[in-house]
PDB file of all heavy atoms in Angstrom:
ATOM      1  N   SER A 114     -14.495 -28.352   3.398  1.00 98.00           N
ATOM      2  CA  SER A 114     -13.987 -27.044   3.814  1.00 98.00           C
ATOM      3  C   SER A 114     -12.895 -27.246   4.852  1.00 98.00           C
ATOM      4  O   SER A 114     -12.996 -28.141   5.698  1.00 98.00           O
ATOM      5  CB  SER A 114     -15.123 -26.196   4.392  1.00 98.00           C
ATOM      6  OG  SER A 114     -16.121 -25.992   3.410  1.00 98.00           O
ATOM      7  N   PHE A 115     -11.863 -26.409   4.771  1.00 98.00           N
ATOM      8  CA  PHE A 115     -10.694 -26.531   5.640  1.00 98.00           C
ATOM      9  C   PHE A 115     -10.365 -25.188   6.279  1.00 98.00           C
ATOM     10  O   PHE A 115     -10.466 -24.152   5.626  1.00 98.00           O
ATOM     11  CB  PHE A 115      -9.449 -26.940   4.828  1.00 98.00           C
ATOM     12  CG  PHE A 115      -9.534 -28.267   4.157  1.00 98.00           C
ATOM     13  CD1 PHE A 115     -10.059 -28.372   2.874  1.00 98.00           C
ATOM     14  CD2 PHE A 115      -9.068 -29.412   4.782  1.00 98.00           C
ATOM     15  CE1 PHE A 115     -10.114 -29.595   2.229  1.00 98.00           C
ATOM     16  CE2 PHE A 115      -9.133 -30.640   4.141  1.00 98.00           C
ATOM     17  CZ  PHE A 115      -9.654 -30.733   2.865  1.00 98.00           C
ATOM     18  N   THR A 116      -9.893 -25.232   7.508  1.00 97.00           N
ATOM     19  CA  THR A 116      -9.250 -24.053   8.079  1.00 97.00           C
ATOM     20  C   THR A 116      -7.834 -24.024   7.531  1.00 97.00           C
ATOM     21  O   THR A 116      -7.331 -25.025   7.005  1.00 97.00           O
ATOM     22  CB  THR A 116      -9.195 -24.114   9.618  1.00 97.00           C
ATOM     23  OG1 THR A 116      -8.352 -25.210  10.000  1.00 97.00           O
ATOM     24  CG2 THR A 116     -10.587 -24.265  10.221  1.00 97.00           C
ATOM     25  N   MET A 117      -7.172 -22.916   7.674  1.00 95.00           N
ATOM     26  CA  MET A 117      -5.787 -22.825   7.207  1.00 95.00           C
ATOM     27  C   MET A 117      -4.902 -23.789   7.993  1.00 95.00           C
ATOM     28  O   MET A 117      -4.008 -24.428   7.418  1.00 95.00           O
ATOM     29  CB  MET A 117      -5.297 -21.384   7.355  1.00 95.00           C
ATOM     30  CG  MET A 117      -4.128 -21.026   6.462  1.00 95.00           C
ATOM     31  SD  MET A 117      -4.525 -21.088   4.706  1.00 95.00           S
ATOM     32  CE  MET A 117      -3.420 -22.369   4.168  1.00 95.00           C
ATOM     33  N   ASP A 118      -5.140 -23.931   9.282  1.00 95.00           N
ATOM     34  CA  ASP A 118      -4.337 -24.859  10.094  1.00 95.00           C
ATOM     35  C   ASP A 118      -4.537 -26.311   9.662  1.00 95.00           C
ATOM     36  O   ASP A 118      -3.607 -27.116   9.747  1.00 95.00           O
ATOM     37  CB  ASP A 118      -4.663 -24.708  11.578  1.00 95.00           C
ATOM     38  CG  ASP A 118      -4.078 -23.441  12.170  1.00 95.00           C
ATOM     39  OD1 ASP A 118      -3.141 -22.866  11.577  1.00 95.00           O
ATOM     40  OD2 ASP A 118      -4.559 -23.020  13.241  1.00 95.00           O
ATOM     41  N   GLU A 119      -5.732 -26.660   9.201  1.00 97.00           N
ATOM     42  CA  GLU A 119      -5.960 -28.020   8.698  1.00 97.00           C
ATOM     43  C   GLU A 119      -5.216 -28.233   7.382  1.00 97.00           C
ATOM     44  O   GLU A 119      -4.660 -29.303   7.154  1.00 97.00           O
ATOM     45  CB  GLU A 119      -7.450 -28.277   8.495  1.00 97.00           C
ATOM     46  CG  GLU A 119      -8.227 -28.395   9.778  1.00 97.00           C
ATOM     47  CD  GLU A 119      -9.726 -28.433   9.559  1.00 97.00           C
ATOM     48  OE1 GLU A 119     -10.241 -27.784   8.616  1.00 97.00           O
ATOM     49  OE2 GLU A 119     -10.389 -29.107  10.362  1.00 97.00           O
ATOM     50  N   LEU A 120      -5.225 -27.239   6.525  1.00 96.00           N
ATOM     51  CA  LEU A 120      -4.550 -27.357   5.231  1.00 96.00           C
ATOM     52  C   LEU A 120      -3.033 -27.308   5.353  1.00 96.00           C
ATOM     53  O   LEU A 120      -2.329 -27.967   4.604  1.00 96.00           O
ATOM     54  CB  LEU A 120      -4.975 -26.226   4.303  1.00 96.00           C
ATOM     55  CG  LEU A 120      -6.106 -26.463   3.349  1.00 96.00           C
ATOM     56  CD1 LEU A 120      -6.326 -25.245   2.468  1.00 96.00           C
ATOM     57  CD2 LEU A 120      -5.919 -27.699   2.510  1.00 96.00           C
ATOM     58  N   LEU A 121      -2.544 -26.499   6.281  1.00 94.00           N
ATOM     59  CA  LEU A 121      -1.105 -26.291   6.387  1.00 94.00           C
ATOM     60  C   LEU A 121      -0.669 -26.220   7.854  1.00 94.00           C
ATOM     61  O   LEU A 121      -0.369 -25.149   8.362  1.00 94.00           O
ATOM     62  CB  LEU A 121      -0.702 -25.011   5.645  1.00 94.00           C
ATOM     63  CG  LEU A 121       0.786 -24.756   5.460  1.00 94.00           C
ATOM     64  CD1 LEU A 121       1.431 -25.850   4.627  1.00 94.00           C
ATOM     65  CD2 LEU A 121       1.008 -23.393   4.816  1.00 94.00           C
ATOM     66  N   PRO A 122      -0.655 -27.369   8.524  1.00 93.00           N
ATOM     67  CA  PRO A 122      -0.204 -27.348   9.914  1.00 93.00           C
ATOM     68  C   PRO A 122       1.283 -26.997   9.982  1.00 93.00           C
ATOM     69  O   PRO A 122       2.041 -27.302   9.055  1.00 93.00           O
ATOM     70  CB  PRO A 122      -0.457 -28.774  10.399  1.00 93.00           C
ATOM     71  CG  PRO A 122      -0.546 -29.601   9.158  1.00 93.00           C
ATOM     72  CD  PRO A 122      -1.002 -28.693   8.060  1.00 93.00           C
ATOM     73  N   ALA A 123       1.671 -26.327  11.024  1.00 86.00           N
ATOM     74  CA  ALA A 123       3.070 -25.940  11.217  1.00 86.00           C
ATOM     75  C   ALA A 123       3.591 -25.138  10.025  1.00 86.00           C
ATOM     76  O   ALA A 123       4.691 -25.368   9.525  1.00 86.00           O
ATOM     77  CB  ALA A 123       3.950 -27.160  11.485  1.00 86.00           C
ATOM     78  N   ALA A 124       2.802 -24.177   9.577  1.00 88.00           N
ATOM     79  CA  ALA A 124       3.174 -23.360   8.417  1.00 88.00           C
ATOM     80  C   ALA A 124       4.452 -22.577   8.686  1.00 88.00           C
ATOM     81  O   ALA A 124       4.756 -22.219   9.822  1.00 88.00           O
ATOM     82  CB  ALA A 124       2.040 -22.385   8.091  1.00 88.00           C
ATOM     83  N   PHE A 125       5.182 -22.303   7.630  1.00 89.00           N
ATOM     84  CA  PHE A 125       6.375 -21.469   7.700  1.00 89.00           C
ATOM     85  C   PHE A 125       5.943 -20.028   7.875  1.00 89.00           C
ATOM     86  O   PHE A 125       5.096 -19.522   7.137  1.00 89.00           O
ATOM     87  CB  PHE A 125       7.176 -21.617   6.401  1.00 89.00           C
ATOM     88  CG  PHE A 125       8.411 -20.761   6.363  1.00 89.00           C
ATOM     89  CD1 PHE A 125       9.550 -21.142   7.041  1.00 89.00           C
ATOM     90  CD2 PHE A 125       8.421 -19.571   5.661  1.00 89.00           C
ATOM     91  CE1 PHE A 125      10.693 -20.351   7.004  1.00 89.00           C
ATOM     92  CE2 PHE A 125       9.553 -18.773   5.620  1.00 89.00           C
ATOM     93  CZ  PHE A 125      10.688 -19.167   6.296  1.00 89.00           C
ATOM     94  N   GLU A 126       6.488 -19.363   8.871  1.00 84.00           N
ATOM     95  CA  GLU A 126       6.160 -17.957   9.101  1.00 84.00           C
ATOM     96  C   GLU A 126       7.414 -17.200   9.479  1.00 84.00           C
ATOM     97  O   GLU A 126       8.254 -17.703  10.208  1.00 84.00           O
ATOM     98  CB  GLU A 126       5.135 -17.818  10.225  1.00 84.00           C
ATOM     99  CG  GLU A 126       3.783 -18.409   9.895  1.00 84.00           C
ATOM    100  CD  GLU A 126       2.775 -18.183  10.994  1.00 84.00           C
ATOM    101  OE1 GLU A 126       2.422 -17.009  11.205  1.00 84.00           O
ATOM    102  OE2 GLU A 126       2.369 -19.161  11.623  1.00 84.00           O
ATOM    103  N   LEU A 127       7.525 -15.991   8.975  1.00 81.00           N
ATOM    104  CA  LEU A 127       8.602 -15.084   9.355  1.00 81.00           C
ATOM    105  C   LEU A 127       8.016 -13.937  10.151  1.00 81.00           C
ATOM    106  O   LEU A 127       6.918 -13.467   9.861  1.00 81.00           O
ATOM    107  CB  LEU A 127       9.278 -14.488   8.120  1.00 81.00           C
ATOM    108  CG  LEU A 127      10.286 -15.339   7.384  1.00 81.00           C
ATOM    109  CD1 LEU A 127      10.792 -14.582   6.158  1.00 81.00           C
ATOM    110  CD2 LEU A 127      11.448 -15.698   8.272  1.00 81.00           C
ATOM    111  N   ASP A 128       8.736 -13.488  11.120  1.00 75.00           N
ATOM    112  CA  ASP A 128       8.342 -12.285  11.844  1.00 75.00           C
ATOM    113  C   ASP A 128       9.024 -11.132  11.120  1.00 75.00           C
ATOM    114  O   ASP A 128      10.177 -10.807  11.384  1.00 75.00           O
ATOM    115  CB  ASP A 128       8.782 -12.367  13.307  1.00 75.00           C
ATOM    116  CG  ASP A 128       8.390 -11.135  14.105  1.00 75.00           C
ATOM    117  OD1 ASP A 128       7.861 -10.165  13.508  1.00 75.00           O
ATOM    118  OD2 ASP A 128       8.617 -11.141  15.314  1.00 75.00           O
ATOM    119  N   TYR A 129       8.307 -10.545  10.166  1.00 63.00           N
ATOM    120  CA  TYR A 129       8.918  -9.513   9.332  1.00 63.00           C
ATOM    121  C   TYR A 129       9.302  -8.275  10.130  1.00 63.00           C
ATOM    122  O   TYR A 129      10.156  -7.525   9.720  1.00 63.00           O
ATOM    123  CB  TYR A 129       8.024  -9.151   8.150  1.00 63.00           C
ATOM    124  CG  TYR A 129       6.699  -8.551   8.521  1.00 63.00           C
ATOM    125  CD1 TYR A 129       6.567  -7.185   8.708  1.00 63.00           C
ATOM    126  CD2 TYR A 129       5.581  -9.355   8.688  1.00 63.00           C
ATOM    127  CE1 TYR A 129       5.343  -6.631   9.060  1.00 63.00           C
ATOM    128  CE2 TYR A 129       4.358  -8.804   9.037  1.00 63.00           C
ATOM    129  CZ  TYR A 129       4.252  -7.441   9.224  1.00 63.00           C
ATOM    130  OH  TYR A 129       3.057  -6.894   9.577  1.00 63.00           O
ATOM    131  N   THR A 130       8.696  -8.076  11.290  1.00 59.00           N
ATOM    132  CA  THR A 130       9.075  -6.906  12.094  1.00 59.00           C
ATOM    133  C   THR A 130      10.484  -7.086  12.639  1.00 59.00           C
ATOM    134  O   THR A 130      11.223  -6.125  12.766  1.00 59.00           O
ATOM    135  CB  THR A 130       8.097  -6.660  13.251  1.00 59.00           C
ATOM    136  OG1 THR A 130       8.045  -7.830  14.074  1.00 59.00           O
ATOM    137  CG2 THR A 130       6.714  -6.330  12.713  1.00 59.00           C
TER     138      THR A 130
END
Side-chain angles (χ1 to χ4, degrees):
S114 299
F115 298 89
T116 65
M117 202 64 243
D118 286 341
E119 289 171 327
L120 266 183
L121 190 62
F125 178 78
E126 294 183 67
L127 281 178
D128 180 355
Y129 63 88
T130 58

